[in-house]
């Protein structure tokens, strides 16, 4: 969760991976060894992370997360 000291560093890595994978959630999940649902659950925990993920996805013409 957001109160865990590992949350923000993990979100930074996740968003870097998302950018490197051109906004494809499934590619990021595969690289991190988790499911797409787990990844989306993590992204949903903070509105700023959610917004940034959608900005990255838009940059690569991917549909926004819902």
């Amino acid at each position: 969760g957001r109160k865990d000291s590992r949350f923000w560093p993990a979100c930074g890595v996740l968003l870097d991976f998302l950018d490197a994978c051109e906004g494809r959630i499934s590619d990021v999940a595969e690289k991190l060894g988790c499911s797409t649902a787990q990844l989306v659950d993590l992204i949903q925990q903070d509105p700023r992370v959610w917004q940034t993920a959608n900005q990255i996805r838009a940059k690569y013409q991917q549909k926004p997360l819902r």
Side-chain angles (χ1 to χ4, degrees):
R2 291 186 298 180
K3 293 184 181 184
D4 189 316
S5 64
R6 298 170 292 178
F7 178 78
W8 293 110
C11 286
V13 169
L14 181 155
L15 293 170
D16 287 344
F17 269 123
L18 188 61
D19 197 25
C21 292
E22 298 182 354
R24 293 184 301 269
I25 293 289
S26 59
D27 289 356
V28 175
E30 183 180 326
K31 290 184 185 313
L32 295 178
C34 65
S35 71
T36 55
Q38 289 171 320
L39 191 56
V40 171
D41 284 346
L42 178 64
I43 293 169
Q44 284 180 328
Q45 290 188 28
D46 185 83
R48 293 169 291 183
V49 176
W50 185 261
Q51 181 181 21
T52 303
N54 276 325
Q55 288 171 346
I56 292 169
R57 288 177 57 79
K59 175 176 155 182
Y60 296 105
Q61 289 78 46
Q62 298 288 331
K63 292 179 183 178
L65 299 171
R66 293 186 233 154

